[in-house]
Amino acid sequence: QKEVEQDPGPLSVPEGAIVSLNCTYSNSAFQYFMWYRQYSRKGPELLMYTYSSGNKEDGRFTAQVDKSSKYISLFIRDSQPSDSATYLCAVDRGSTLGRLYFGRGTQLTVWP
Amino acid sequence: DAGVIQSPRHEVTEMGQEVTLRCKPISGHDYLFWYRQTMMRGLELLIYFNNNVPIDDSGMPEDRFSAKMPNASFSTLKIQPSEPRDSAVYFCASSFALARSNSGNTIYFGEGSWLTVV
């Protein structure tokens, strides 16, 4: 079993829709939860970062972590065509910087 | 800052040839990572360095792969001999170790080297 499972999609929504992206992870030792956004032919860039359980909001983006069910989510409100990208979740135990485990990524297209 | 710089951006090579990918991390960063991304397996960590020393190379697929970091501003990933199954996007990333906090740490990725082995 992979450390992180993520449905690769693709996901296609109209502009203005609410988007929900999800991942599950296997090891309860993970403490740091991240969402990276990757535009076509570019490297991933950090979008959201959450420590332990709870919600974190940044503009139109909300990251949610439920450690009891090992489930992490990213919500995008009022989605825009510029949000079209691949979204990767990542988890980290916190014991060693950089040992991130990534999901395969979900490809999102927001059409006008 | 120019960010993480990788070269070449694209490489097409024949099976059996040696491939060398290069990376310049962000100045001042003391962690450097090599990742490989494919459609089937997603993003996988191959190896990472701290202060130029390899810390974990358990993700290196086999002996055909090697990585070096001779100084703080340069790293190479070498594949010799290359095989078609090595075709992927190879990312270099770097980070600066900060004390763990709720604000977290950020790993910065380069734009990748797109490798095709025919």
Side-chain angles (χ1 to χ4, degrees):
Chain A
Q1 182 186 9
K2 282 181 66 75
E3 288 82 4
V4 186
E5 298 284 353
Q6 182 177 10
D7 185 343
L11 186 60
S12 181
V13 301
E15 184 175 355
I18 296 174
V19 176
S20 173
L21 304 169
N22 308 292
C23 292
T24 58
Y25 63 94
S26 59
N27 192 330
S28 57
F30 292 126
Q31 300 183 61
Y32 297 84
F33 306 92
M34 289 140 280
W35 286 94
Y36 279 77
R37 179 173 60 194
Q38 184 176 19
Y39 289 115
S40 178
R41 307 190 75 79
K42 298 290 188 181
E45 57 179 354
L46 183 66
L47 182 63
M48 297 282 288
Y49 189 112
T50 309
Y51 171 71
S52 194
S53 282
N55 292 358
K56 186 174 183 180
E57 190 172 317
D58 184 2
R60 297 183 295 108
F61 298 88
T62 300
Q64 197 171 77
V65 177
D66 182 348
K67 293 190 75 177
S68 63
S69 58
K70 299 188 183 68
Y71 199 79
I72 56 179
S73 302
L74 178 70
F75 299 96
I76 307 174
R77 292 184 301 280
D78 188 26
S79 56
Q80 302 294 310
S82 58
D83 297 328
S84 298
T86 296
Y87 291 80
L88 301 100
C89 59
V91 297
D92 177 10
R93 285 190 181 90
S95 59
T96 305
L97 173 67
R99 197 51 178 103
L100 301 183
Y101 297 89
F102 283 88
R104 286 178 55 192
T106 300
Q107 185 179 348
L108 171 68
T109 300
V110 181
W111 43 274
Chain B
D1 197 318
V4 176
I5 299 174
Q6 293 186 243
S7 65
R9 288 296 315 278
H10 302 272
E11 172 119 0
V12 180
T13 191
E14 291 185 346
M15 182 174 61
Q17 296 298 306
E18 178 179 291
V19 174
T20 300
L21 308 178
R22 299 173 179 80
C23 175
K24 176 178 168 50
I26 294 173
S27 177
H29 282 188
D30 54 355
Y31 280 84
L32 182 138
F33 314 90
W34 283 102
Y35 285 87
R36 177 172 67 177
Q37 187 175 41
T38 61
M39 289 292 291
M40 289 299 296
R41 300 176 66 88
L43 198 60
E44 302 173 286
L45 177 65
L46 300 177
I47 184 171
Y48 77 93
F49 297 82
N50 176 221
N51 291 321
N52 314 335
V53 176
I55 302 301
D56 184 352
D57 65 354
S58 60
M60 296 286 262
E62 49 197 273
D63 292 345
R64 296 185 297 106
F65 285 70
S66 62
K68 294 181 180 179
M69 191 166 186
N71 57 63
S73 59
F74 184 67
S75 177
T76 60
L77 178 67
K78 187 173 293 188
I79 308 172
Q80 166 64 20
S82 59
E83 296 182 3
R85 60 193 168 119
D86 302 330
S87 297
V89 185
Y90 291 83
F91 286 103
C92 177
S94 70
S95 185
F96 176 61
L98 300 171
R100 286 286 187 190
S101 70
N102 286 350
S103 63
N105 298 303
T106 299
I107 294 177
Y108 297 86
F109 285 81
E111 297 205 329
S113 292
W114 297 71
L115 174 65
T116 302
V117 183
V118 298

Coordinates of all heavy atoms in Angstrom, one line a residue, chain A residues 28-108:
Chain A
S28 N -0.4 6.7 10.7 CA -0.9 7.7 11.7 C 0.3 8.6 12.2 O 0.0 9.6 12.9 CB -1.6 7.1 12.8 OG -0.7 6.1 13.5
A29 N 1.5 8.2 11.9 CA 2.7 9.0 12.3 C 2.8 10.3 11.5 O 3.5 11.2 11.9 CB 3.9 8.2 12.2
F30 N 2.2 10.4 10.4 CA 2.3 11.7 9.6 C 1.6 12.8 10.4 O 0.5 12.7 10.9 CB 1.6 11.5 8.2 CG 2.3 10.5 7.3 CD1 1.7 9.5 6.7 CD2 3.7 10.7 7.1 CE1 2.3 8.6 5.9 CE2 4.4 9.8 6.2 CZ 3.7 8.8 5.7
Q31 N 2.4 13.9 10.4 CA 1.9 15.1 11.2 C 1.7 16.4 10.3 O 1.1 17.3 10.7 CB 2.9 15.4 12.3 CG 3.1 14.3 13.3 CD 4.0 14.8 14.4 OE1 3.8 15.7 15.1 NE2 5.2 14.1 14.5
Y32 N 2.4 16.4 9.2 CA 2.4 17.6 8.3 C 1.7 17.2 7.0 O 2.0 16.2 6.4 CB 3.8 18.1 8.1 CG 4.5 18.5 9.3 CD1 5.1 17.6 10.1 CD2 4.5 19.9 9.7 CE1 5.8 18.1 11.3 CE2 5.1 20.3 10.8 CZ 5.8 19.4 11.6 OH 6.4 19.8 12.8
F33 N 0.8 18.1 6.5 CA 0.0 17.7 5.4 C 0.0 18.9 4.4 O -0.2 20.1 4.9 CB -1.4 17.4 5.8 CG -1.5 16.3 6.9 CD1 -1.5 16.7 8.2 CD2 -1.5 15.0 6.5 CE1 -1.5 15.7 9.2 CE2 -1.5 14.0 7.5 CZ -1.5 14.4 8.8
M34 N 0.3 18.7 3.2 CA 0.5 19.7 2.2 C -0.2 19.5 1.0 O -0.5 18.3 0.6 CB 2.0 19.8 1.9 CG 2.9 20.4 3.0 SD 4.5 19.6 3.2 CE 4.0 18.1 4.1
W35 N -0.5 20.6 0.3 CA -1.1 20.5 -1.1 C -0.1 21.3 -2.0 O 0.2 22.5 -1.7 CB -2.5 21.1 -1.1 CG -3.5 20.2 -0.6 CD1 -4.0 20.2 0.7 CD2 -4.1 19.1 -1.2 NE1 -4.9 19.1 0.9 CE2 -5.0 18.5 -0.3 CE3 -4.1 18.6 -2.5 CZ2 -5.8 17.4 -0.7 CZ3 -4.9 17.5 -2.9 CH2 -5.7 16.9 -2.0
Y36 N 0.3 20.7 -3.0 CA 1.1 21.4 -4.0 C 0.3 21.5 -5.3 O -0.6 20.6 -5.6 CB 2.4 20.5 -4.4 CG 3.5 20.7 -3.4 CD1 3.4 20.0 -2.1 CD2 4.6 21.5 -3.7 CE1 4.5 20.2 -1.2 CE2 5.6 21.6 -2.7 CZ 5.5 21.0 -1.5 OH 6.6 21.1 -0.6
R37 N 0.5 22.6 -6.0 CA -0.1 22.8 -7.3 C 0.9 22.7 -8.4 O 2.0 23.3 -8.2 CB -0.8 24.2 -7.3 CG -1.5 24.5 -8.6 CD -2.3 25.8 -8.4 NE -1.4 26.9 -8.1 CZ -1.8 28.1 -7.6 NH1 -3.1 28.3 -7.4 NH2 -1.0 29.1 -7.3
Q38 N 0.6 22.1 -9.5 CA 1.6 21.9 -10.6 C 0.9 22.3 -11.9 O 0.0 21.5 -12.4 CB 2.1 20.5 -10.6 CG 3.2 20.2 -11.6 CD 3.8 18.8 -11.6 OE1 3.2 17.9 -11.1 NE2 5.0 18.7 -12.2
Y39 N 1.4 23.4 -12.4 CA 0.9 23.7 -13.8 C 1.6 22.9 -14.8 O 2.7 22.4 -14.6 CB 1.1 25.2 -14.0 CG 0.2 26.1 -13.2 CD1 0.7 27.0 -12.2 CD2 -1.2 26.1 -13.4 CE1 -0.1 27.8 -11.5 CE2 -2.0 27.0 -12.7 CZ -1.4 27.8 -11.7 OH -2.3 28.6 -10.9
S40 N 1.0 22.8 -16.0 CA 1.6 22.0 -17.1 C 3.0 22.4 -17.4 O 3.3 23.6 -17.5 CB 0.7 22.2 -18.3 OG 1.2 21.4 -19.4
R41 N 3.9 21.4 -17.4 CA 5.3 21.5 -17.8 C 6.0 22.4 -16.8 O 7.0 23.0 -17.1 CB 5.4 22.0 -19.2 CG 4.7 21.2 -20.2 CD 5.0 21.5 -21.6 NE 6.3 20.9 -22.0 CZ 6.6 19.7 -22.3 NH1 5.6 18.8 -22.3 NH2 7.8 19.3 -22.6
K42 N 5.6 22.5 -15.5 CA 6.2 23.2 -14.5 C 6.5 22.3 -13.3 O 5.9 21.2 -13.2 CB 5.4 24.4 -14.0 CG 5.1 25.4 -15.1 CD 6.4 26.2 -15.5 CE 6.1 27.3 -16.4 NZ 7.3 28.1 -16.8
G43 N 7.3 22.8 -12.3 CA 7.5 22.0 -11.1 C 6.4 22.3 -10.1 O 5.7 23.3 -10.2
P44 N 6.1 21.4 -9.2 CA 5.1 21.6 -8.1 C 5.5 22.8 -7.3 O 6.7 23.1 -7.0 CB 5.2 20.3 -7.3 CG 5.8 19.3 -8.2 CD 6.8 20.1 -9.0
E45 N 4.5 23.5 -6.8 CA 4.7 24.7 -5.9 C 3.8 24.5 -4.7 O 2.6 24.1 -4.9 CB 4.5 26.0 -6.6 CG 3.2 26.2 -7.2 CD 3.0 27.6 -7.8 OE1 3.9 28.4 -7.7 OE2 2.0 27.7 -8.5
L46 N 4.3 24.8 -3.5 CA 3.4 24.7 -2.3 C 2.3 25.6 -2.3 O 2.4 26.8 -2.5 CB 4.3 24.9 -1.1 CG 3.6 24.7 0.3 CD1 3.2 23.2 0.4 CD2 4.5 25.2 1.4
L47 N 1.1 25.1 -2.1 CA -0.2 25.8 -2.1 C -0.7 26.0 -0.6 O -1.0 27.1 -0.2 CB -1.2 25.1 -2.9 CG -2.6 25.8 -3.1 CD1 -2.4 27.1 -3.8 CD2 -3.5 24.9 -3.8
M48 N -0.7 24.9 0.1 CA -1.3 25.0 1.5 C -0.5 24.1 2.4 O 0.0 23.0 1.9 CB -2.7 24.6 1.5 CG -3.7 25.5 0.7 SD -4.1 27.0 1.6 CE -5.1 26.4 2.9
Y49 N -0.4 24.4 3.6 CA 0.4 23.6 4.6 C -0.4 23.5 5.9 O -0.8 24.6 6.4 CB 1.7 24.3 4.8 CG 2.8 23.5 5.6 CD1 3.9 23.0 4.9 CD2 2.6 23.2 6.9 CE1 4.8 22.3 5.6 CE2 3.5 22.5 7.6 CZ 4.7 22.0 7.0 OH 5.6 21.3 7.6
T50 N -0.6 22.3 6.4 CA -1.4 22.2 7.7 C -0.6 21.3 8.6 O 0.0 20.2 8.2 CB -2.7 21.5 7.4 OG1 -3.4 22.3 6.4 CG2 -3.6 21.5 8.6
Y51 N -0.6 21.6 9.8 CA 0.1 20.8 10.9 C -1.0 20.2 11.7 O -1.9 20.9 12.2 CB 1.0 21.6 11.7 CG 1.5 20.9 12.9 CD1 2.4 19.8 12.8 CD2 1.1 21.2 14.2 CE1 2.9 19.2 13.9 CE2 1.5 20.5 15.3 CZ 2.5 19.5 15.1 OH 2.9 18.8 16.2
S52 N -1.0 18.8 11.8 CA -2.0 18.1 12.6 C -3.4 18.3 12.0 O -3.6 18.6 10.9 CB -1.9 18.5 14.1 OG -2.6 17.6 14.9
S53 N -4.4 18.1 12.9 CA -5.8 18.1 12.4 C -6.3 19.5 12.3 O -5.7 20.5 12.9 CB -6.7 17.3 13.3 OG -6.5 15.9 13.1
G54 N -7.4 19.7 11.6 CA -8.1 21.0 11.6 C -8.2 21.5 10.2 O -7.8 20.9 9.2
N55 N -8.6 22.8 10.1 CA -8.8 23.5 8.9 C -7.8 24.6 8.8 O -7.4 25.2 9.8 CB -10.2 24.1 8.8 CG -11.3 23.0 8.6 OD1 -11.0 21.8 8.6 ND2 -12.5 23.4 8.6
K56 N -7.5 25.0 7.5 CA -6.7 26.2 7.3 C -7.2 26.8 6.0 O -7.4 26.1 5.0 CB -5.2 25.8 7.1 CG -4.3 27.0 7.0 CD -2.8 26.5 7.0 CE -1.9 27.7 7.0 NZ -0.5 27.2 7.0
E57 N -7.5 28.1 6.1 CA -8.1 28.8 5.0 C -7.1 29.9 4.5 O -6.4 30.6 5.2 CB -9.4 29.5 5.4 CG -10.2 30.1 4.3 CD -11.5 30.5 4.8 OE1 -12.2 29.8 5.6 OE2 -12.0 31.6 4.4
D58 N -7.1 30.0 3.1 CA -6.2 31.0 2.5 C -7.0 31.5 1.2 O -6.9 30.8 0.2 CB -4.9 30.4 2.1 CG -3.9 31.5 1.5 OD1 -4.3 32.7 1.4 OD2 -2.8 31.2 1.2
G59 N -7.7 32.6 1.4 CA -8.4 33.1 0.2 C -9.5 32.1 -0.2 O -10.3 31.7 0.6
R60 N -9.5 31.7 -1.4 CA -10.5 30.7 -1.9 C -10.2 29.3 -1.6 O -11.0 28.4 -1.9 CB -10.6 30.9 -3.4 CG -11.1 32.3 -3.9 CD -11.3 32.3 -5.4 NE -10.0 32.2 -6.1 CZ -9.7 31.1 -6.9 NH1 -10.5 30.1 -6.9 NH2 -8.5 31.1 -7.5
F61 N -9.1 29.0 -1.0 CA -8.6 27.7 -0.7 C -8.8 27.3 0.8 O -8.4 28.1 1.6 CB -7.1 27.5 -1.1 CG -6.9 27.7 -2.6 CD1 -6.7 29.0 -3.1 CD2 -6.9 26.6 -3.5 CE1 -6.4 29.2 -4.5 CE2 -6.7 26.8 -4.8 CZ -6.5 28.1 -5.3
T62 N -9.2 26.1 1.0 CA -9.3 25.6 2.4 C -8.8 24.2 2.4 O -9.2 23.3 1.7 CB -10.8 25.6 2.9 OG1 -11.3 26.9 2.9 CG2 -10.9 25.0 4.3
A63 N -7.8 24.0 3.3 CA -7.2 22.6 3.5 C -7.8 22.1 4.8 O -7.9 22.8 5.8 CB -5.7 22.7 3.6
Q64 N -8.1 20.8 4.8 CA -8.8 20.2 5.9 C -8.1 18.8 6.2 O -7.8 18.1 5.2 CB -10.3 19.9 5.6 CG -11.2 19.7 6.7 CD -12.6 19.7 6.3 OE1 -13.1 18.7 5.6 NE2 -13.3 20.7 6.6
V65 N -7.8 18.5 7.5 CA -7.2 17.3 7.8 C -8.0 16.6 8.9 O -8.4 17.2 9.9 CB -5.8 17.5 8.4 CG1 -5.2 16.2 8.8 CG2 -4.9 18.2 7.3
D66 N -8.3 15.4 8.7 CA -9.0 14.5 9.7 C -8.1 13.4 10.0 O -8.1 12.4 9.3 CB -10.4 14.1 9.1 CG -11.2 13.2 10.2 OD1 -10.6 12.9 11.2 OD2 -12.3 13.0 10.0
K67 N -7.4 13.5 11.1 CA -6.4 12.4 11.4 C -7.1 11.2 11.9 O -6.5 10.1 11.7 CB -5.4 12.9 12.5 CG -4.5 14.0 12.0 CD -3.4 14.3 13.0 CE -2.3 13.3 13.0 NZ -1.2 13.6 13.9
S68 N -8.3 11.3 12.4 CA -9.0 10.1 12.9 C -9.3 9.1 11.7 O -9.3 7.9 11.9 CB -10.2 10.4 13.6 OG -11.1 11.1 12.8
S69 N -9.6 9.7 10.6 CA -9.9 8.9 9.4 C -8.8 8.9 8.4 O -8.9 8.3 7.3 CB -11.2 9.3 8.7 OG -11.1 10.7 8.4
K70 N -7.7 9.6 8.7 CA -6.5 9.7 7.8 C -6.9 10.2 6.4 O -6.7 9.6 5.4 CB -5.8 8.3 7.7 CG -5.3 7.7 9.0 CD -4.4 6.5 8.7 CE -3.9 5.9 10.0 NZ -5.0 5.3 10.8
Y71 N -7.6 11.3 6.5 CA -8.2 11.9 5.3 C -7.9 13.3 5.2 O -8.0 14.1 6.2 CB -9.7 11.7 5.4 CG -10.5 11.8 4.1 CD1 -10.6 10.8 3.2 CD2 -11.2 13.0 3.8 CE1 -11.3 10.9 2.1 CE2 -12.0 13.1 2.7 CZ -12.0 12.0 1.8 OH -12.8 12.1 0.6
I72 N -7.4 13.8 4.0 CA -7.0 15.2 3.8 C -7.8 15.7 2.6 O -8.0 15.0 1.6 CB -5.5 15.4 3.7 CG1 -4.9 14.6 2.6 CG2 -4.8 15.1 5.0 CD1 -3.4 14.8 2.5
S73 N -8.2 17.0 2.7 CA -9.0 17.5 1.6 C -8.5 18.9 1.3 O -8.0 19.6 2.1 CB -10.5 17.6 2.0 OG -11.0 16.4 2.4
L74 N -8.8 19.3 0.0 CA -8.6 20.7 -0.4 C -9.8 21.1 -1.1 O -10.3 20.5 -2.0 CB -7.4 20.8 -1.4 CG -7.1 22.2 -1.9 CD1 -6.6 23.1 -0.8 CD2 -6.1 22.1 -3.1
F75 N -10.4 22.3 -0.6 CA -11.6 22.8 -1.2 C -11.2 24.1 -1.9 O -10.5 25.0 -1.4 CB -12.7 23.1 -0.2 CG -13.1 21.9 0.5 CD1 -12.6 21.5 1.8 CD2 -14.1 21.0 0.0 CE1 -13.0 20.4 2.4 CE2 -14.5 19.9 0.6 CZ -13.9 19.6 1.9
I76 N -11.7 24.3 -3.1 CA -11.5 25.5 -3.9 C -12.9 26.2 -4.1 O -13.7 25.5 -4.8 CB -10.8 25.3 -5.2 CG1 -9.5 24.5 -5.0 CG2 -10.5 26.6 -5.9 CD1 -8.8 24.1 -6.3
R77 N -13.1 27.4 -3.6 CA -14.3 28.0 -3.8 C -14.2 29.0 -5.0 O -13.1 29.4 -5.4 CB -14.7 28.9 -2.6 CG -15.0 28.1 -1.4 CD -15.5 29.1 -0.2 NE -14.4 30.0 0.1 CZ -13.4 29.7 0.9 NH1 -13.3 28.5 1.4 NH2 -12.5 30.7 1.1
D78 N -15.4 29.2 -5.7 CA -15.4 30.1 -6.8 C -14.2 29.8 -7.8 O -13.4 30.7 -8.1 CB -15.3 31.6 -6.4 CG -15.5 32.6 -7.5 OD1 -16.2 32.2 -8.5 OD2 -15.0 33.7 -7.3
S79 N -14.1 28.6 -8.2 CA -13.0 28.1 -9.0 C -12.9 29.0 -10.3 O -13.9 29.4 -10.9 CB -13.1 26.7 -9.4 OG -14.4 26.4 -10.0
Q80 N -11.7 29.2 -10.7 CA -11.3 30.0 -11.9 C -10.6 29.2 -12.9 O -9.9 28.2 -12.5 CB -10.5 31.2 -11.5 CG -11.1 32.1 -10.4 CD -12.3 32.8 -10.9 OE1 -12.3 33.4 -12.0 NE2 -13.4 32.7 -10.2
P81 N -10.6 29.5 -14.2 CA -9.8 28.8 -15.2 C -8.3 28.8 -14.8 O -7.6 27.8 -15.2 CB -10.1 29.6 -16.5 CG -11.4 30.2 -16.3 CD -11.5 30.5 -14.8
S82 N -7.9 29.8 -14.1 CA -6.4 29.8 -13.7 C -6.1 28.8 -12.7 O -4.9 28.5 -12.4 CB -6.1 31.2 -13.2 OG -6.9 31.6 -12.1
D83 N -7.1 28.2 -12.1 CA -6.9 27.1 -11.1 C -6.7 25.7 -11.8 O -6.3 24.8 -11.2 CB -8.1 26.9 -10.2 CG -8.4 28.1 -9.3 OD1 -7.4 28.8 -9.0 OD2 -9.6 28.4 -9.0
S84 N -6.8 25.7 -13.1 CA -6.6 24.5 -13.9 C -5.1 24.1 -13.7 O -4.2 24.8 -14.1 CB -6.9 24.7 -15.4 OG -8.3 25.0 -15.5
A85 N -4.9 22.9 -13.1 CA -3.6 22.4 -12.8 C -3.7 21.0 -12.2 O -4.8 20.5 -12.1 CB -2.9 23.3 -11.8
T86 N -2.6 20.4 -11.9 CA -2.6 19.2 -11.2 C -2.3 19.5 -9.7 O -1.4 20.2 -9.4 CB -1.6 18.2 -11.7 OG1 -1.9 17.8 -13.1 CG2 -1.5 16.9 -10.9
Y87 N -3.1 18.9 -8.8 CA -3.0 19.2 -7.4 C -2.5 17.9 -6.7 O -3.1 16.8 -6.9 CB -4.3 19.6 -6.8 CG -4.7 21.0 -7.3 CD1 -5.3 21.2 -8.5 CD2 -4.5 22.1 -6.5 CE1 -5.6 22.4 -9.0 CE2 -4.8 23.4 -7.0 CZ -5.4 23.5 -8.2 OH -5.7 24.8 -8.7
L88 N -1.4 18.0 -6.0 CA -0.8 16.9 -5.4 C -0.8 17.1 -3.8 O -0.5 18.1 -3.3 CB 0.7 16.7 -5.8 CG 1.0 16.5 -7.2 CD1 1.5 17.8 -7.9 CD2 2.1 15.5 -7.4
C89 N -1.3 16.0 -3.2 CA -1.2 16.1 -1.7 C 0.1 15.4 -1.3 O 0.7 14.6 -2.0 CB -2.4 15.3 -1.1 SG -2.5 13.6 -1.5
A90 N 0.6 15.8 -0.1 CA 1.8 15.3 0.4 C 1.8 15.2 1.9 O 1.1 16.0 2.5 CB 3.0 16.2 -0.1
V91 N 2.4 14.2 2.5 CA 2.4 14.0 3.9 C 3.9 13.9 4.4 O 4.8 13.5 3.6 CB 1.6 12.8 4.3 CG1 0.1 13.0 4.0 CG2 2.2 11.5 3.7
D92 N 4.1 14.2 5.7 CA 5.4 14.2 6.2 C 5.4 13.8 7.7 O 4.5 14.3 8.4 CB 6.0 15.6 6.0 CG 7.4 15.7 6.6 OD1 8.0 14.7 7.0 OD2 7.9 16.9 6.7
R93 N 6.2 12.9 8.1 CA 6.2 12.5 9.5 C 6.7 13.6 10.4 O 6.4 13.6 11.6 CB 7.2 11.3 9.7 CG 6.6 10.0 9.2 CD 7.5 8.8 9.6 NE 7.0 7.5 9.1 CZ 7.3 7.0 8.0 NH1 8.1 7.6 7.2 NH2 6.8 5.9 7.6
G94 N 7.6 14.4 9.9 CA 8.1 15.5 10.7 C 9.4 15.1 11.4 O 10.1 16.0 12.0
S95 N 9.9 13.9 11.2 CA 11.1 13.5 11.9 C 12.3 13.9 11.0 O 13.4 14.2 11.6 CB 11.2 12.0 12.1 OG 11.1 11.3 10.8
T96 N 12.2 14.0 9.8 CA 13.3 14.4 8.9 C 12.7 15.3 7.8 O 11.8 14.9 7.1 CB 13.9 13.1 8.2 OG1 14.3 12.2 9.2 CG2 15.1 13.5 7.3
L97 N 13.3 16.5 7.7 CA 12.9 17.4 6.7 C 13.0 16.8 5.3 O 14.0 16.2 5.0 CB 13.7 18.7 6.8 CG 13.4 19.7 5.7 CD1 12.1 20.3 5.8 CD2 14.5 20.8 5.7
G98 N 11.9 17.0 4.6 CA 12.0 16.6 3.2 C 11.6 15.3 2.8 O 11.4 15.0 1.6
R99 N 11.3 14.4 3.8 CA 10.9 13.0 3.4 C 9.4 13.1 3.2 O 8.6 12.5 3.9 CB 11.3 12.0 4.5 CG 11.3 10.6 4.0 CD 12.0 10.4 2.7 NE 12.1 9.0 2.2 CZ 11.4 8.6 1.2 NH1 10.5 9.4 0.7 NH2 11.5 7.3 0.8
L100 N 9.0 13.8 2.1 CA 7.6 13.9 1.8 C 7.2 12.7 1.0 O 7.9 12.1 0.2 CB 7.3 15.1 1.0 CG 7.7 16.5 1.6 CD1 7.3 17.6 0.6 CD2 7.1 16.7 2.9
Y101 N 5.9 12.3 1.2 CA 5.3 11.2 0.4 C 4.2 11.9 -0.4 O 3.3 12.5 0.2 CB 4.8 10.1 1.2 CG 5.9 9.4 2.0 CD1 6.3 9.8 3.2 CD2 6.5 8.3 1.4 CE1 7.3 9.1 3.9 CE2 7.5 7.6 2.1 CZ 7.9 8.1 3.4 OH 8.9 7.4 4.0
F102 N 4.2 11.8 -1.7 CA 3.2 12.5 -2.5 C 2.2 11.5 -3.0 O 2.4 10.4 -3.3 CB 3.9 13.1 -3.8 CG 4.7 14.4 -3.5 CD1 6.0 14.3 -3.0 CD2 4.1 15.6 -3.6 CE1 6.7 15.5 -2.8 CE2 4.8 16.8 -3.4 CZ 6.1 16.7 -2.9
G103 N 1.0 12.1 -3.2 CA -0.1 11.4 -4.0 C 0.2 11.5 -5.4 O 1.1 12.3 -5.8
R104 N -0.5 10.8 -6.3 CA -0.2 10.8 -7.7 C -0.7 12.1 -8.4 O -0.3 12.5 -9.5 CB -0.8 9.6 -8.4 CG -0.1 8.3 -8.1 CD -0.8 7.2 -8.8 NE -1.0 7.4 -10.3 CZ -1.8 6.7 -11.0 NH1 -2.5 5.7 -10.5 NH2 -1.9 7.0 -12.3
G105 N -1.5 12.9 -7.7 CA -2.0 14.1 -8.2 C -3.3 14.0 -8.9 O -3.6 13.0 -9.5
T106 N -4.2 15.0 -8.8 CA -5.5 15.1 -9.5 C -5.4 16.2 -10.5 O -5.2 17.4 -10.1 CB -6.6 15.3 -8.5 OG1 -6.7 14.3 -7.5 CG2 -8.0 15.4 -9.2
Q107 N -5.7 15.9 -11.7 CA -5.7 16.9 -12.8 C -7.1 17.6 -12.8 O -8.1 16.9 -13.0 CB -5.4 16.2 -14.1 CG -5.3 17.2 -15.3 CD -5.0 16.5 -16.6 OE1 -4.6 15.3 -16.6 NE2 -5.1 17.3 -17.7
L108 N -7.0 18.9 -12.6 CA -8.3 19.7 -12.6 C -8.3 20.7 -13.8 O -7.3 21.3 -14.1 CB -8.3 20.5 -11.3 CG -9.4 21.6 -11.2 CD1 -10.8 20.9 -11.1 CD2 -9.2 22.5 -10.0

